[in-house]
Amino acid sequence: MKVMVTGATGFVGRHVVNELLTQGHSVVAIARDIKRAQEMPWFDRVEFIQCDLHVDFKPLFQSECLPNAIVHLAWTGLPNYRDFFHISKNLPADLAFLEAAVKSGVPHLLVAGTCLEYGMQYGPLTEEMETNPTTPYGFAKDTLRKALQLLQKESPFTLQWMRLFYMYGEGQNRNSLLAQLDRAIDEGQAIFNMSAGDQLRDYLSIQEVAENFVLALESPQLEGVINCCSGKPISVFDLVKQRCHTKSSDINLNRGYYPYPDYEPMAFWGVPSKLANLRPI
């Protein structure tokens, strides 16, 4: 397939582009910063277009050779989940872009969602559950999905909503948990400050995330919400301990230094039913 990937230089995007190329697809990579794109190992193997989707995306659909699918990963302002700009700016801009793609004749959208769409729901989260977001980011993503579902009734297309949980790996935000831990260990710090770590979360390596995106793209029968997760809850404390063991570090873990986030329940994890039907998770 010819696949357009927005947010191609982001944490998820850079790995999705690489996996698409590995599986033999051609890629049109979209990002705002060409200098950052030129640092990507795949730059010379894609058609790169420098574009800010919030400014002018119309040239992307003027070509007679439209992509077979769009993997939409671009979303500004993360990891700030609480700011209203997700609703006031990102939501209308992203909806305008995706509507234009569909109206131009793109038949297949694979869009990144978030586990924050579920809100403060505890325990295993299934793909069929009702959403109840409590953050502007979760609300904006949830509203975008529902708007696209309404658009399908007017202009039929394949919609896959890849709901992401917690991810780790190369290129992750430097302020994410494991990135901070790695930095503390590499710098020889004696203490690592963290929360108490009793909360249960669902973590998946970024390589597995990228593989799931390509697997879903190649399986258009998997329509609607797709939980992209391990399905195996782990406490944050155990996750940190495993990382310390992997890096042969005896850094002192200062538990309870940070409070728990008030926008996340203490225990939740995804149930990846649709992906599990394609391969063991």
Side-chain angles (χ1 to χ4, degrees), residues 123-233:
L125 305 175
T126 69
E127 292 152 337
E128 298 76 26
M129 289 176 65
E130 292 293 327
T131 51
N132 188 25
T134 59
T135 62
Y137 174 57
F139 180 89
K141 283 287 190 178
D142 190 49
T143 304
L144 179 61
R145 173 182 59 83
K146 291 175 179 176
L148 292 173
Q149 289 172 334
L150 291 174
L151 180 61
Q152 280 184 297
K153 297 179 180 180
E154 179 181 310
S155 303
F157 62 96
T158 297
L159 174 62
Q160 296 176 309
W161 189 263
M162 189 71 87
R163 192 168 279 159
L164 300 173
F165 282 68
Y166 292 81
M167 303 168 289
Y168 62 91
E170 180 186 352
Q172 65 190 323
N173 187 286
R174 69 187 313 273
N175 292 321
S176 62
L177 175 67
L178 293 183
Q180 290 187 66
L181 177 61
D182 287 348
R183 193 160 59 249
I185 293 173
D186 294 342
E187 293 175 356
Q189 297 180 22
I191 297 174
F192 179 69
N193 296 323
M194 58 177 292
S195 69
D198 293 323
Q199 65 272 49
L200 295 181
R201 296 289 181 265
D202 192 320
Y203 283 88
L204 197 64
S205 74
I206 191 61
Q207 180 57 38
E208 292 174 282
V209 170
E211 291 171 2
N212 285 343
F213 267 94
V214 178
L215 184 63
L217 195 70
E218 295 172 341
S219 309
Q221 73 275 13
L222 296 186
E223 287 212 61
V225 173
I226 303 169
N227 275 346
C228 184
C229 54
S230 71
K232 301 173 183 177

Side-chain angles (χ1 to χ4, degrees), residues 1-3 15-27 42 45 207-219 279:
M1 287 185 284
K2 180 179 181 180
V3 184
H15 294 277
V16 169
V17 169
N18 189 67
E19 185 63 20
L20 283 167
L21 293 171
T22 298
Q23 298 306 320
H25 303 287
S26 63
V27 175
W42 41 252
R45 294 184 289 148
Q207 180 57 38
E208 292 174 282
V209 170
E211 291 171 2
N212 285 343
F213 267 94
V214 178
L215 184 63
L217 195 70
E218 295 172 341
S219 309
R279 70 178 187 189

